[in-house]
Amino acid sequence: MFDLRRLRLLHELSVRGTLAAVAEALAYSPSTISQQLAQLEREAGVALLQPDGRRVRLTAQGEALAAHAARMLAADEEVRSELERMQPSLSPIRVAAMQSAVHGLIPRVLELLDDSAPGLRLEVTELPPEEGLFELAARGFDLVVAEQYPGHTREHRSGLDRAFLGLDSIRLAVGPGERETELAALRDRSWVMEPVGTAARHWATQQCRAAGFEPHVPFELTDLTAHIRLVAAGRAAAMIPDLVFAGDDPPVRLLDLPGRPRRDVFTAVRHGASHRPALEAVQTALQQAFDEIAS
């Protein structure tokens, strides 16, 4: 019989690519990971790893066993979900959320859970959707709050279930005293945007190009609060999703972009854990919090 903990290490290696990455994710030493995988090889009776320069990679047998490991881990999660439904536990729910959701949803979600699921502990980490969805598939988190910009689809990872929360308007943000009312009029302005490689940056750049100009972006920041402060100070223009304001009065002037674009906001969980009572409570609270803001 295979040890499920060792199978998880093999699965993690297939997802993360290096022993160092697995060790960092699981808070083990690389030598411990190597020892456990060597024991798994003895249990399997075949070579699962082979040298690849200074690293290792899975053999064909290793890849086959890693695929089985993913299914076994999903089955284990399904069993645990069923047992938890029979006798709810207070296991913490680990959430990875994009920054606007941390600002706009999480405080209200915590209030709602105090009433609906007292004792349930939420552990929240701010991560961009690109990283959060990867970590969810790798079992680093239980639930992710992510987004999808108009015209940009995110990869559908095997074994993950999505639930649509709602649509979030994205608006042009300028200083309170600004007179401009259209995107094209801001061609000579400085912009603050998220880093290159993110969906938000790619989408915002495309909006500027569609308006006939290439944006000058001297401010490249992940912190949306910093975006808002720079705009409010008259130092930059930006494109800000409504969710970050959580229904509060914004300190900037918000203008509709061409077509009044809205992004999809959704949650994702692993298929085997989707019916955990604690996860269902968190998803219900997220939906209620989002609906309150959108109303």
Side-chain angles (χ1 to χ4, degrees), residues 116-139:
S116 65
L120 190 154
R121 190 166 83 247
L122 212 59
E123 298 177 354
V124 180
T125 299
E126 180 190 309
L127 278 183
E130 295 84 357
E131 294 180 37
L133 291 167
F134 171 85
E135 289 293 340
L136 176 65
R139 287 178 162 71

Side-chain angles (χ1 to χ4, degrees), residues 98-100 103 126-128 130-131 192-196 198 200-201 219-228 230 240 244:
M98 58 188 182
Q99 189 180 101
S100 56
H103 283 291
E126 180 190 309
L127 278 183
E130 295 84 357
E131 294 180 37
V192 55
M193 293 185 181
E194 295 191 40
V196 172
T198 62
R201 174 61 173 271
F219 308 112
E220 187 175 277
L221 307 168
T222 59
D223 187 350
L224 292 178
T225 302
H227 288 215
I228 294 167
L230 284 168
I240 305 288
V244 73

Side-chain angles (χ1 to χ4, degrees), residues 6 30 51 82 97 113 175 193 258 274 279 287:
R6 296 189 185 108
E82 185 173 344
L113 289 174
M193 293 185 181
S274 58
L279 266 179
Q287 187 66 69

